[in-house]
Amino acid sequence: KMKYWLLFIGILITSPVFAECKIDQQQFGVSSTTIENKLIDFKIFERIPNFQKEVLTIFEDICPKLGETLARDTTLRYHFIKDQLVAIELVRPAHNDLLLFEWARQYFGIMEDRDINEQQQLIQVEEADRLIQLFLGILPDAVFQNVALISSEHDDLFELLANKEDVMDWETYEYPASDDDSVGEGN
């Protein structure tokens, strides 16, 4: 019973910090402009022009009350397909801690703990409109941590992206001439 009291007290202490952070407040399907208008400092990366786009910022811009180490050393990526938000990803590469992994477990209420016998671990939780993935990769000198929120209501866009990637010439980043606009240069 003492274990549950400690967990309850831990939640009471950390809840105000987590309440300040709302990485998942954006609705899937919103445009990149909606996200960009809410950010102060960001970069845009278009992997497939006018089709697949990422908006990158540091975690601290969204969650300023988090510990500096976690917030400043973690990248927040908003992923768009056809200008609709389909995934939100946090990436913390090459650090010697488990800060992002543990933060995400608490923030999303994930009970599954880290398996210390595994070099890599993926925890997945399905919710009504999204899939939450926590990934942990233990390297000899560092730990790679990734948290992703993936829309489960935009499977059609993920399928469209997969089709587009299948026909893309990855050396030239060009598409073959096609009458099928859904696979070719479509909007």
Side-chain angles (χ1 to χ4, degrees), residues 2-120:
M2 183 64 159
K3 177 171 81 172
Y4 295 110
W5 276 107
L6 290 175
L7 177 66
F8 180 70
I9 290 171
I11 289 170
L12 284 178
I13 292 169
T14 57
S15 289
V17 172
F18 293 139
E20 297 288 331
C21 182
K22 296 194 182 335
I23 68 159
D24 54 349
Q25 71 184 356
Q26 296 302 327
Q27 291 291 321
F28 287 123
V30 300
S31 72
S32 58
T33 308
T34 302
I35 301 288
E36 292 165 19
N37 287 339
K38 293 181 180 186
L39 298 175
I40 298 164
D41 188 26
F42 60 91
K43 292 181 178 129
I44 295 173
F45 175 66
E46 284 195 73
R47 189 164 162 241
I48 302 175
N50 299 318
F51 190 81
Q52 184 184 20
K53 176 180 181 177
E54 287 181 35
V55 176
L56 289 74
T57 189
I58 59 169
F59 196 21
E60 184 177 45
D61 284 356
I62 304 301
C63 301
K65 303 271 189 207
L66 280 182
E68 283 184 16
T69 304
L70 174 60
R72 288 190 182 154
D73 296 338
T74 300
T75 302
L76 177 60
R77 299 170 183 239
Y78 294 98
H79 296 268
F80 299 86
I81 300 173
K82 293 186 83 169
D83 204 34
Q84 292 186 50
L85 180 64
V86 295
I88 301 169
E89 178 184 30
L90 293 166
V91 180
R92 185 172 170 79
H95 285 79
N96 207 5
D97 60 45
L98 299 173
L99 287 176
L100 180 59
F101 181 80
E102 292 301 332
W103 173 85
R105 279 187 55 240
Q106 284 188 310
Y107 184 84
F108 295 109
I110 296 172
M111 292 295 138
E112 187 175 338
D113 205 348
R114 176 169 125 60
D115 184 345
I116 59 172
N117 298 316
E118 295 295 324
Q119 295 280 23
Q120 294 184 359

Side-chain angles (χ1 to χ4, degrees), residues 122-142:
L122 176 67
I123 297 173
Q124 290 190 146
V125 176
E126 284 187 54
E127 292 185 346
D129 64 340
R130 66 185 181 184
L131 177 69
I132 302 170
Q133 292 182 334
L134 278 59
F135 176 79
L136 187 63
I138 310 289
L139 307 170
D141 297 333

